[in-house]
């Protein structure tokens, strides 16, 4: 499905270039944003930036991190960021935390790392933390308490993250109970 979309994007970019409008970092960052759920395509356009000697900026790395499907790709992103002198910000950490929302220990580790690097949590970062709770009420209370202490008001997205976490936990509990009943 993404192949046809890539062809259309490439065709449009060719038209712009013929009219004397060369692509720049904004062009590629927006293209990467459009394919954020498809790592191979995001990586393709990131590499194309390099081939054209276009220096990626923070926003391009945000898209790269958001698209990274596993630890390996995240490590690649971090190496690239270090090579370009780009530090992770709260938005980037939020993207990574969302990737690992099913692993509360990893999420907690990532949050501690962000704080140790001097990253100030934002609403988006807190919402990513809330989405990881997996039914742990004390964790939810801890994150909400920290938000309140830091003066970060909850948003509708905060409440949705909490509800989705409980819903995910409930579905997991129902599947577990059904499996246990079948095994008897």
């Amino acid at each position: 499905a993404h192949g046809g979309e890539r062809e259309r994007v490439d065709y449009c970019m060719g038209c712009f270039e013929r009219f004397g409008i060369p692509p720049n970092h904004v062009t590629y960052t927006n293209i990467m944003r459009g394919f954020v759920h498809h790592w191979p395509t995001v990586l393709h356009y990131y590499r194309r930036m390099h081939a054209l000697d276009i220096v990626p900026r923070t926003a391009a790395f945000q898209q790269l991190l958001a698209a990274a499907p596993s630890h390996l790709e995240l490590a690649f992103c971090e190496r690239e960021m270090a090579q370009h002198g780009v530090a992770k910000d709260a938005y980037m950490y939020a993207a990574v935390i969302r990737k690992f929302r099913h692993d509360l220990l990893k999420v907690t580790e990532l949050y501690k790392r962000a704080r140790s690097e001097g990253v100030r949590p934002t609403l988006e970062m807190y919402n990513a933390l809330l989405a990881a709770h997996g039914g742990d009420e004390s964790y939810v209370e801890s994150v909400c308490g920290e938000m309140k202490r830091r003066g970060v008001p909850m948003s509708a997205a905060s409440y949705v993250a909490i509800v989705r976490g409980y819903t995910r936990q409930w579905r997991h509990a129902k599947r577990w109970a059904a499996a246990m009943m079948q095994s008897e």
Side-chain angles (χ1 to χ4, degrees):
H2 291 288
E5 292 171 17
R6 266 177 50 178
E7 288 172 5
R8 287 191 291 276
V9 167
D10 292 344
Y11 173 79
C12 289
M13 288 178 69
C15 290
F16 290 139
E17 286 186 53
R18 282 191 294 281
F19 292 123
I21 307 169
N24 60 27
H25 69 93
V26 175
T27 308
Y28 281 101
T29 299
N30 284 310
I31 291 169
M32 291 165 63
R33 184 177 291 123
F35 290 102
V36 74
H37 297 293
H38 195 252
W39 169 255
T41 302
V42 170
L43 184 60
H44 166 78
Y45 286 111
Y46 175 75
R47 288 184 171 151
R48 195 185 232 180
M49 286 175 75
H50 280 281
L52 296 171
D53 292 325
I54 298 172
V55 177
R57 302 221 180 136
T58 301
F61 289 110
Q62 290 170 343
Q63 299 312 310
L64 201 61
L65 282 167
S70 74
H71 294 281
L72 292 174
E73 289 83 2
L74 287 171
F76 167 80
C77 295
E78 289 179 345
R79 284 191 307 274
E80 289 292 306
M81 290 169 63
Q83 181 180 349
H84 290 280
V86 175
K88 279 189 190 164
D89 60 15
Y91 178 88
M92 292 177 185
Y93 267 107
V96 175
I97 287 169
R98 277 193 298 276
K99 291 276 181 207
F100 294 101
R101 71 181 173 275
H102 302 292
D103 183 348
L104 192 54
L105 290 174
K106 179 71 174 175
V107 165
T108 304
E109 171 193 315
L110 286 165
Y111 181 66
K112 286 179 182 175
R113 188 165 125 198
R115 297 297 295 141
S116 73
E117 292 175 7
V119 174
R120 185 169 185 213
T122 61
L123 176 62
E124 183 168 289
M125 192 172 184
Y126 281 124
N127 288 345
L129 290 168
L130 287 170
H133 72 80
D136 185 335
E137 289 181 35
S138 63
Y139 176 80
V140 172
E141 289 172 9
S142 171
V143 173
C144 291
E146 183 176 328
M147 289 174 72
K148 187 174 184 176
R149 281 190 304 282
R150 293 187 178 277
V152 179
M154 291 182 66
S155 67
S158 307
Y159 292 104
V160 168
I162 293 169
V163 170
R164 281 187 178 159
Y166 283 123
T167 303
R168 225 179 8 259
Q169 183 65 18
W170 174 247
R171 283 194 305 263
H172 176 73
K174 282 176 40 179
R175 282 194 300 271
W176 178 81
M180 291 301 291
M181 293 177 83
Q182 287 178 349
S183 67
E184 291 181 354

